[in-house]
Amino acid sequence: MRRASFTSSILSRTLSTVHDGGAVNLHPRLRVALFSSSRADNSNSRRHWFFPLLNSFSKSSGQAVSLGLVGVVASVATAASVYAKEPPPAEIIPKDVVLYQYEACPFCNKVKAFLDYYDIPYKVVEVNPISKKEIKWSDYKKVPILMVDGQQLVDSSAIIDQLSEKILPGKAIISVADEDEETKWRRWVDNHLVHVLSPNIYRNTSEALESFDYITSNGNFSFTEKITVKYAGAAAMYFVSKNLKKKYNITDERAALYEATETWVDALNGRNFLGGSKPNLADLAVFGVLRPIRYLRSGRDMVEHTRIGEWYSRMEKVVGEPSRIKA
């Protein structure tokens, strides 16, 4: 009922806009308010809040409002197919999922975007990037490492492929062309997009410190560890980013980031998502690797200077809040 009440208030404000202006002007939050959950509410409860609202507007404004309502409901029906999440059946969701990560790692965030979108609860263990003591038990010394019901999975794209096989056994492939497009852009994320991120995140000392301040604010670091990780890590990554810049022939970090994001927007070709009405694995991969920079200086610049903002906002709404549980 709390969701219904919230939805009612949003719809009321939207219908007021319709009544006052005589045109269908959707409130920005309406596009997610009515369908933020994939679980349908009881039909009686929907009737309880929607019909009195419909009657009140019918009495006050007659046929014009009725037509406006038709437009609003049609828009809601269309948007519902865009923003509905896709949780798998409860019986096939892994019971114990633990992600060993760095908070700002794009590959780790790619895995988290997948877990969040499919509502798979998981625990997070923040790895100290200097000592890596949290993963000393593993022969694999990189992140992400995902433990799924006792099985170790490594490499972000391989993790997502293996999880997809586990939880999406009946996932329909619309066409070979769509499958090829999704695969192509997932490879583009791994082979190009991620390589322009570090030179931007660690472009100068102040941005490197900003990033490591973000990293150390997440995770169970002692005071001494936070200071060590923040300053030693920022210094190390500043020099690493310079090497990456040279390796990938990047002369202007921001220009390379803007070009990459514009390339992605062009690939959407006017669609809400590369997957059409719902995100596919390529959408989740792009969103995942961009999520850790979004509210850093580089991410703010990216949204301000490219067209990616609208797609990114749609992805934020559909992926939702992290499904992580306290470790």
Side-chain angles (χ1 to χ4, degrees):
M1 286 302 294
R2 185 170 63 86
R3 184 180 291 112
S5 175
F6 170 64
T7 305
S8 176
S9 67
I10 296 293
L11 187 55
S12 296
R13 293 198 296 274
T14 301
L15 294 179
S16 296
T17 303
V18 172
H19 173 60
D20 293 339
V24 179
N25 237 346
L26 288 180
H27 187 285
R29 293 173 63 190
L30 178 62
R31 295 186 181 276
V32 289
L34 296 180
F35 33 83
S36 58
S37 171
S38 60
R39 300 175 180 83
D41 291 325
N42 180 276
S43 60
N44 290 331
S45 64
R46 288 202 304 272
R47 188 178 299 112
H48 176 72
W49 68 266
F50 185 80
F51 277 72
L53 182 63
L54 176 60
N55 290 337
S56 67
F57 277 93
S58 295
K59 290 175 182 177
S60 63
S61 52
Q63 185 179 10
V65 170
S66 297
L67 292 173
L69 275 168
V70 171
V72 170
V73 172
S75 298
V76 168
T78 301
S81 66
V82 173
Y83 293 111
K85 293 184 73 167
E86 299 184 86
E91 62 271 15
I92 64 174
I93 293 179
K95 302 297 185 292
D96 184 27
V97 180
V98 183
L99 176 65
Y100 293 83
Q101 65 147 30
Y102 303 145
E103 185 66 24
C105 165
F107 296 107
C108 301
N109 278 276
K110 179 151 61 102
V111 173
K112 286 194 289 188
F114 179 92
L115 297 172
D116 293 338
Y117 180 68
Y118 287 105
D119 278 341
I120 301 173
Y122 58 96
K123 299 174 185 176
V124 165
V125 176
E126 188 69 18
V127 176
N128 185 312
I130 307 298
S131 68
K132 298 186 179 180
K133 61 182 180 179
E134 293 80 7
I135 55 173
K136 285 191 180 295
W137 53 269
S138 174
D139 291 334
Y140 187 79
K141 298 305 178 184
K142 299 178 182 179
V143 294
I145 297 174
L146 192 72
M147 295 299 297
V148 180
D149 293 334
Q151 178 185 5
Q152 178 179 267
L153 306 180
V154 299
D155 185 273
S156 61
S157 291
I159 289 170
I160 290 169
D161 287 340
Q162 292 172 75
L163 282 178
S164 295
E165 291 177 6
K166 288 176 181 290
I167 69 168
L168 306 171
K171 183 177 177 64
I173 297 175
I174 298 173
S175 70
V176 173
D178 287 336
E179 181 187 14
D180 288 345
E181 183 182 45
E182 181 181 65
T183 302
K184 168 190 170 182
W185 288 101
R186 288 182 68 195
R187 288 201 188 101
W188 174 81
V189 171
D190 291 342
N191 297 332
H192 179 69
L193 181 59
V194 292
H195 298 311
V196 305
L197 297 183
S198 289
N200 277 278
I201 298 171
Y202 309 108
R203 183 174 62 151
N204 51 47
T205 52
S206 64
E207 289 188 65
L209 286 170
E210 178 192 34
S211 176
F212 270 86
D213 189 51
Y214 173 67
I215 291 169
T216 55
S217 66
N218 297 274
N220 299 316
F221 296 127
S222 68
F223 176 77
T224 302
E225 286 176 326
K226 284 184 177 181
I227 297 298
T228 302
V229 168
K230 179 177 178 178
Y231 290 96
M237 287 307 300
Y238 172 76
F239 290 107
V240 167
S241 71
K242 298 306 175 188
N243 290 332
L244 290 172
K245 182 178 174 181
K246 182 177 180 181
K247 179 178 179 180
Y248 294 106
N249 298 314
I250 298 171
T251 55
D252 184 321
E253 302 92 334
R254 285 295 196 267
L257 177 62
Y258 300 160
E259 182 181 1
T261 52
E262 289 290 354
T263 297
W264 172 249
V265 175
D266 287 341
L268 296 174
N269 196 26
R271 292 170 288 184
N272 284 307
F273 307 104
L274 192 75
S277 62
K278 292 182 180 180
N280 63 17
L281 295 182
D283 287 288
L284 293 172
V286 176
F287 175 72
V289 301
L290 293 180
R291 187 154 64 168
I293 78 163
R294 170 62 185 90
Y295 296 101
L296 298 178
R297 193 182 313 168
S298 53
R300 295 193 299 270
D301 287 349
M302 174 187 70
V303 170
E304 181 180 348
H305 292 96
T306 73
R307 297 169 293 152
I308 202 167
E310 290 186 9
W311 171 85
Y312 190 92
S313 294
R314 286 193 293 270
M315 287 298 298
E316 275 191 316
K317 291 169 184 174
V318 72
V319 173
E321 294 298 317
S323 304
R324 69 170 70 184
I325 54 181
K326 193 170 183 179

